[in-house]
Structure formats: C-alpha cells, structure tokens
C-alpha cells in the first residue's frame, strides 16, 4: 500500500497579500453608494475605472493607473447615462474602450483618450438600445473582437456585434430569452463557446449562446446561488451563495452534470456577497467578501478534493467592490501573481492589494508565469457569430517579449513626446503656455511632465505617452531619480 503524505506540495502555498502604501493608493475618490451587487470597478494596465457618486444621472471616473494619491475634486467624469451606472467593463483587446450599463436601460461604449482628461466625456462612441428595463450586467467575449453581452431586469441576455459603423444600435444579433427571473451573474468558458449564468430563481444554467439553447440546468435546495464562474478548461463551475441557514457558502459543480455539487462548503455567517475570481494560469481561486476586508484564496485541482484552501488575506477595511488587474499589468519582477483594487467607500479610497509568491531569486520565474491570454482577439465578431470557436492567443509575460500590450491608439505618433527636432518641441511648449493662460490649474502638472521629458534620454521618451507613463515607464518623481 502506497503512503500518501498529509501535506500538499504547491508553489502557491505561501502566497501572501500585500497592501500598497498610502502614496500608491487612490485617495478622495467619491465611490458610489449604490447597493447593486457588482464590482463597480474595472482595471487594465493603463487605467482604473470606478463608478462614482453623482447627482442627476450616472457617471464613472477613469484615472490613469500611475496617477496615485489624492484625486482632484473637479476631476472630469464619464457621464452620459440618465440613471445610476450599474456595471463597467474594459474591452479586453483595447485599453482605451470601456462599456457601461445603467438603470436608464442603455449600454454605452466609450472611447477614452490616451492623455489626462481635461473635461467630462458626455458623448459615447456607441449606444445600445434594446433592453426594456435597467441593465445590470455586461460582459465582453473573451476571444472574439467587439462582441458584448448585456443582461437586464427584463430577464433577457442580448448579444451585440459592435463591428458596425452605426453609432446607435437597437437590434442585438441574438436575444437569449431562457430566464424567468433576473440574471445575477454571467461567465464564459475559455474559448467563449459556452455561457454560465446564475439566476435569482436559484438555478445555474450552461447555455450555448449562439444557438440560444440551455445545455444544462441545475438547482440545489440547500444552495441559493448568487455568482457563478467557469473554472477555465477544467470543465467545472464554481458558485457562491447562501445556505438554508443564511450562511455564506461556496460550491463546485461538474459543468456536464448540475444535479448535485461536487463539493459544498459553508464559510461564515456574514451577510455580504462573495465575489469569485479565478486565475486559470495559476489555478488559483480568490473569494472576495463584500462588506468585509477578507480575500480567501484556494488552489483548484482536477482530482479530489478539488478545492485546496491556501490562506486568507485579512484587512480591517471593508471592500464594497473589487477590480482585478489583467496578467499583462502585473509586476513580474516582484513575483506578483494577482493584483486587486479594493473600493473602500468609508475612506473614499481605492487600495491596491498584490498577491505575491515569495521567491529569493531576482530573475523571471517561468514556473509561476505560464503563457497567458494575449490582448489580441483570436477571432473577428463575424467569425464567432458564424460558429467558429478559438481559444485565446497566448503570450509570455517575460520582460521584453512581444505582444503583451493591447492594440490601441497609443501606436499613433505623439508629437509632444516623440519630438525628433527642436522646432516640434518648441511648438509643443508654445501650445502648453497658451493652455497655461486658459487653464492654470490643469497645466501645472503638464508643465512638470514636459520638463521631465526634456531631461530624459531619447529611448526613455519613447515609453511615455503624452507625458505620463501609462505604459511601462513611470515618470521620475524626484530630481535624484532623473
């Protein structure tokens, strides 16, 4: 008889959470007081977007990721909705496009300029008018370009093809009318061929979105589901919810058989929702409690016991929502495997929390950074609608490797930054001084940034975008750094 040790060997066994220092947080952010159960925050390597408190309509803030510290109370907003914004999501293939949905029953797509916002953005790039009641959830397709799913309180899920010239769309390419109540959560499998939903009628469904058919449906009397998640390619679903006794609960399901969960576990007696977040590269699952400061994390394995508890990050500051940085925005030199952005409305604070694997070596750790999904689509919208399935394009996170960034507008020439001759630079300075007279408060920071650019060597100038490093090179903060 073989002897099995009691402990599990795992490279993620000692992962720990590290909160950012005060100067690396985003302070004085008027975070929304809305009680809707959503993340209210979306992050990519260039920007952090957060739903904000706003009188008469709905708005959200888009802050450059490097612009930490106190936020100017007059900082411009993205405001075009007539009702509260309920969900925001960045386009996974373009760091400058964000979708938002609202109580006004519309979904809007916004272009974010690749420089500091000077004024409120009020005109969307596209407006999607199809839902009869408020829209609570939106999700971008994980591998096809310009495909967006929206779910409303009219119990319908609509599939939109944004690959058209029209600015106002009123006809979705498909309507999934298979739910009898409000959809609480949507999740795609890796190639986006299947959609899992959690509904207020306590049922979990696995749907073929193009055919509009329900492939699996299950509800379990002792588990009232609130959020559901596909666990990558493991053919499993993970759900969070409450038990008959109102304890917070997690459950694991076989995606081909939703009759009985593979595993069911009560966590605690708190009342806040649990947000599940899965990292398919490391097979780590994070469970974030709304209204408490805890982030529990587990490792998923294909065999029993499936769910292996690793540790819990604890904080006395309760989070209302959470944003997750995509893999390409992580600091691989610090062995960071995940980064969360906690919304703390009681302090008007957004606090980054890094999940770090402790390693002694300074070099790139190949084993904790396998190939990850690239920021380029594998399919066009039409190819996916025609029935083609394709997994995500994969890239390495090794510093210096190609194709880590998304395909966006930052490829355009930036005259202020990439000035090759003196006359161009002088033109830029004249333009700056003209703006100075009109907007003295805004331009102060711009002037400082311009000075920094002049002092930087040429090759570093190329890394900056409009003067602040929303990509790889943050600007120096002190003269010594310069």
């Amino acid at each position: 008889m073989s002897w099995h040790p009691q402990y599990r060997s795992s490279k993620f066994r000692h992962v720990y959470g590290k909160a950012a220092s005060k100067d690396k947080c985003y302070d004085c952010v008027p975070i929304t007081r809305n009680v809707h159960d959503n993340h209210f925050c979306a992050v990519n390597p260039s920007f952090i977007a957060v739903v904000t408190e706003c009188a008469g309509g709905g708005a959200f803030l888009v802050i450059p990721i490097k612009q930490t510290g106190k936020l100017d109370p007059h900082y411009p907003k993205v405001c075009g909705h007539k009702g509260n914004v309920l969900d925001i999501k960045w386009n996974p293939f373009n760091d400058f496009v964000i979708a938002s949905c609202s109580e006004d029953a519309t979904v809007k797509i916004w272009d974010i300029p690749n420089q500091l916002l000077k004024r409120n953005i009020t005109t969307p790039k596209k407006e999607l008018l199809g839902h009869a009641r408020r829209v609570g959830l939106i999700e971008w397709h994980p591998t096809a370009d310009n495909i967006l799913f929206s779910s409303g309180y009219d119990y319908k899920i609509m599939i939109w093809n944004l690959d058209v010239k029209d600015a106002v769309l009123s006809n979705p390419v498909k309507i999934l009318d298979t739910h009898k109540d409000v959809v609480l959560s949507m999740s795609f499998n890796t190639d986006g061929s299947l959609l899992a939903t959690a509904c207020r009628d306590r049922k979990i469904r696995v749907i073929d979105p193009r055919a509009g058919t329900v492939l699996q449906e299950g509800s379990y009397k002792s588990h009232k589901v609130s959020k559901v998640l596909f666990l990558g390619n493991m053919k499993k679903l993970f759900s969070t919810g409450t038990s008959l006794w109102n304890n917070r609960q997690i459950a694991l399901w076989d995606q081909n058989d939703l009759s009985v969960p593979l595993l069911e576990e009560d966590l605690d007696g708190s009342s806040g929702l649990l947000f599940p977040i899965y990292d398919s590269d490391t097979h780590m699952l994070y469970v974030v409690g709304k209204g408490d400061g805890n982030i529990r994390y587990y490792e998923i394995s294909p065999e029993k016991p499936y769910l292996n508890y690793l540790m819990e990050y604890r904080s006395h500051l309760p989070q209302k929502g959470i944003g997750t940085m995509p893999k390409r925005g992580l600091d691989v030199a610090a062995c960071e495997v995940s980064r969360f952005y906690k919304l703390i409305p009681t302090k008007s604070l957004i606090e980054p929390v890094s999940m770090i694997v402790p390693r002694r070596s300074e070099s790139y750790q190949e084993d904790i950074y396998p190939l990850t999904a690239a920021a380029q689509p594998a399919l066009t919208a039409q190819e996916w609608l025609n029935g083609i399935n394709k997994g995500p394009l994969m890239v390495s996170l090794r510093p210096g490797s190609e194709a880590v960034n998304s395909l966006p507008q930052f490829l355009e020439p930036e005259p202020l930054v990439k000035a090759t001759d003196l006359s161009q630079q002088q033109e830029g300075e004249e333009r700056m001084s003209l703006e100075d007279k009109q907007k003295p408060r805004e331009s102060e920071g711009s002037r400082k940034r311009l000075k920094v650019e002049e002092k930087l060597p040429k090759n570093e100038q190329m890394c900056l975008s409009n003067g602040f490093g929303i990509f790889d090179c943050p600007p120096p903060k002190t003269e010594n750094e310069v």
Side-chain angles (χ1 to χ4, degrees):
M1 195 173 88
S2 63
W3 177 77
H4 292 288
Q6 289 302 302
Y7 64 87
R8 283 180 63 257
S9 151
S10 165
K11 59 187 100 152
F12 302 110
R13 199 173 48 183
H14 300 296
V15 168
Y16 66 95
K18 182 183 177 186
S21 56
K22 190 80 164 95
D23 61 317
K24 297 281 195 302
C25 294
Y26 305 82
D27 207 354
C28 303
V29 182
I31 297 162
T32 180
R33 305 280 174 189
N34 197 316
V35 293
H36 192 70
D37 283 331
N38 257 349
H39 291 209
F40 293 126
C41 182
V43 187
N44 69 26
S46 311
F47 299 105
I48 176 167
V50 57
V51 180
T52 180
E53 268 302 282
C54 169
F60 58 96
L61 293 164
V62 175
I63 308 165
I65 208 84
K66 299 281 194 291
Q67 196 181 323
T68 52
K70 284 194 172 178
L71 190 74
D72 181 349
H74 303 293
Y75 189 80
K77 299 181 173 72
V78 181
C79 47
H81 284 289
K82 295 184 177 69
N84 287 329
V85 175
L86 297 180
D87 199 9
I88 46 176
K89 293 272 164 62
W90 287 106
N91 184 332
F93 312 121
N94 189 334
D95 285 350
F96 299 90
V97 173
I98 190 168
S100 63
C101 65
S102 159
E103 287 181 351
D104 63 11
T106 66
V107 179
K108 295 183 195 280
I109 314 297
W110 307 87
D111 267 339
I112 304 299
N114 55 347
Q115 75 249 5
L116 278 171
L117 293 186
K118 295 278 195 292
R119 61 186 70 82
N120 288 352
I121 299 178
T122 52
T123 312
K125 176 186 180 182
K126 287 192 189 308
E127 197 168 3
L128 316 181
L129 311 171
H131 288 281
R133 296 179 66 191
R134 59 184 167 159
V135 188
L137 285 173
I138 42 177
E139 247 358 290
W140 292 92
H141 192 279
T143 61
D145 201 14
N146 284 324
I147 292 281
L148 184 75
F149 282 55
S150 65
S151 161
Y153 278 64
D154 50 8
Y155 311 158
K156 292 180 172 66
I157 294 176
M158 297 189 179
I159 306 174
W160 303 89
N161 177 7
L162 307 179
D163 230 349
V164 289
K165 289 198 171 73
D166 308 346
V168 178
L169 302 177
S170 48
N171 293 319
V173 288
K174 183 92 186 160
I175 298 177
L176 307 179
D177 201 359
T178 54
H179 298 86
K180 304 284 181 280
D181 210 327
V182 178
V183 176
L184 302 173
S185 172
M186 295 192 289
S187 173
F188 287 102
N189 64 346
T190 308
D191 64 4
S193 59
L194 296 175
L195 178 75
T197 63
C199 181
R200 204 183 273 163
D201 63 8
R202 296 185 172 216
K203 289 185 178 171
I204 295 175
R205 293 172 176 86
V206 176
I207 299 167
D208 179 339
R210 285 168 297 204
T213 52
V214 178
L215 306 177
Q216 285 290 324
E217 185 175 287
S219 66
Y220 198 58
K221 61 181 183 298
S222 66
H223 182 71
K224 183 184 175 186
V225 64
S226 53
K227 295 280 173 194
V228 70
L229 200 59
F230 259 109
L231 297 181
N233 282 328
M234 288 215 174
K235 304 250 192 271
K236 290 183 178 60
L237 294 171
F238 179 81
S239 67
T240 65
T242 51
S243 70
L244 289 172
W245 311 106
N246 265 358
N247 287 331
R248 293 202 293 192
Q249 197 179 51
I250 56 176
L252 194 69
W253 310 79
D254 179 344
Q255 77 176 41
N256 300 316
D257 176 18
L258 298 178
S259 55
V260 177
L262 299 170
L263 182 141
E264 195 180 25
E265 192 178 308
D266 283 18
L267 291 189
D268 57 32
S270 299
S271 58
L273 187 86
L274 293 169
F275 296 119
I277 297 160
Y278 182 60
D279 176 3
S280 55
D281 298 348
T282 59
H283 303 304
M284 280 179 74
L285 175 80
Y286 302 88
V287 179
V288 181
K290 182 180 176 179
D292 56 49
N294 303 353
I295 302 174
R296 297 172 174 86
Y297 37 106
Y298 302 82
E299 199 170 4
I300 303 282
S301 55
E303 294 88 33
K304 280 186 176 177
Y306 306 121
L307 203 63
N308 301 290
Y309 176 77
L310 292 171
M311 224 187 289
E312 184 172 0
Y313 167 78
R314 289 171 181 259
S315 158
H316 66 281
L317 295 171
Q319 60 249 354
K320 183 190 180 71
I322 199 111
T324 311
M325 175 63 82
K327 270 297 171 71
R328 58 201 168 87
L330 298 181
D331 181 2
V332 292
C335 296
E336 187 182 36
V337 288
S338 251
R339 191 189 310 147
F340 301 111
Y341 288 78
K342 287 174 51 166
L343 304 188
I344 305 163
T346 51
K347 301 217 175 241
S348 298
L349 188 73
I350 304 175
E351 180 186 56
V353 176
S354 298
M355 294 294 170
I356 293 169
V357 179
R359 292 277 168 100
R360 283 206 182 109
S361 170
E362 299 279 308
S363 61
Y364 175 71
Q365 305 291 308
E366 195 92 48
D367 60 326
I368 58 173
Y369 296 114
L371 292 181
T372 190
Q376 277 93 30
L379 295 164
T380 63
Q382 203 50 55
E383 283 172 341
W384 183 77
L385 292 168
N386 292 344
I388 301 171
N389 290 326
K390 217 181 233 180
L393 302 175
M394 307 302 270
V395 289
S396 166
L397 290 176
R398 183 184 288 280
S401 62
E402 292 300 307
V404 171
N405 290 323
S406 73
L407 294 165
Q409 292 106 311
F410 69 77
L411 298 171
E412 295 169 5
E414 297 277 345
L416 270 181
V417 181
K418 300 184 183 177
T420 45
D421 60 65
L422 203 64
S423 63
Q424 274 179 297
Q425 231 167 11
Q426 282 166 350
E427 266 175 47
E429 279 166 30
E430 279 164 28
R431 200 180 317 136
M432 292 298 292
S433 59
L434 215 137
E435 277 183 26
D436 285 7
K437 288 167 195 167
Q438 294 162 349
K439 298 177 186 169
R441 187 189 296 162
E442 282 172 5
S443 61
E444 222 172 291
S446 317
R447 215 180 300 118
K448 281 180 195 160
R449 287 198 300 275
L450 207 77
K451 280 178 188 165
V452 167
E453 282 160 30
E454 284 165 20
K455 291 178 191 172
L456 280 175
K458 238 183 193 172
N459 60 345
E460 280 193 42
Q461 283 186 25
M462 305 296 279
C463 297
L464 297 171
S465 174
N466 267 27
F468 67 97
I470 55 175
F471 304 105
D472 305 318
C473 301
K477 287 179 180 158
T478 63
E479 288 211 20
N480 294 346
E481 284 183 43
V482 175

